[in-house]
Amino acid sequence: MVEPDVVVVPAGDALLGDPPRTEHVNVFAIARRPVRVGEYAVFVDETHHSPPGGGAPDGVGAPGGGAPDGVGAPGGGAPDGVGAPAEWQRKQLMADTPVDGVSWADAVTYCRWLTVGTGRIYRLPDEREWEKAARREGALEGLGALREWTNSWLDGGRVVRRGDEVAARGYAGADPRGVGFRVVHGMTGR
């Protein structure tokens, strides 16, 4: 198990959103880059969790699977589990690229696994944390078109954010292809 390289973002006010507004954000440490395929593969291998790209539905027949969240396809990947083994094998050849096709429940399950394995608290960032870190020059790597899960819920859906439109809020919909995540290391407790 490899812990992510994190950057500490100090507490303070930040100009966030569109239209911009000032909000206070507490100190947090966020992973510099999204979770990589190789990192996620260790999780899949150790927990027998369904890989992105298909398999058992979230929480059904997948050890460590999360509760259905209304977002995502079986196992967090392609609809109806199409091509799961072949797609995952192909992704594993690119171990240093961001994992995608991960449902929100899969991302939360990964955070729980990382927390238990390291003894330190890991979770998804809320959207204020994600945006504050994304706006801080040099803090995050891998910002671009990949949509990233947050731990925020708004207007009946889980919020995703993307680096090429830092202030824009999006929703993953029923198909999480192109959705990845990065983790936040808790700054309180262990």
Side-chain angles (χ1 to χ4, degrees), residues 34 130 142-143 146-150 159-161 179-182:
W130 188 95
L143 288 173
L146 179 71
R147 298 174 296 156
E148 297 182 28
W149 287 114
T150 70
V159 176
V160 293
R161 301 299 292 267
V179 181
F181 68 103
R182 67 181 74 226

Side-chain angles (χ1 to χ4, degrees), residues 105-128:
D106 291 335
V108 169
T109 302
Y110 177 90
C111 291
R112 288 181 190 144
W113 168 78
L114 194 57
T115 295
V116 169
T118 64
R120 288 183 262 302
I121 299 168
Y122 284 94
R123 60 178 173 78
L124 294 176
D126 69 36
E127 70 172 319
R128 294 174 314 121

Side-chain angles (χ1 to χ4, degrees), residues 60-72:
V60 180
D69 61 5
V71 178

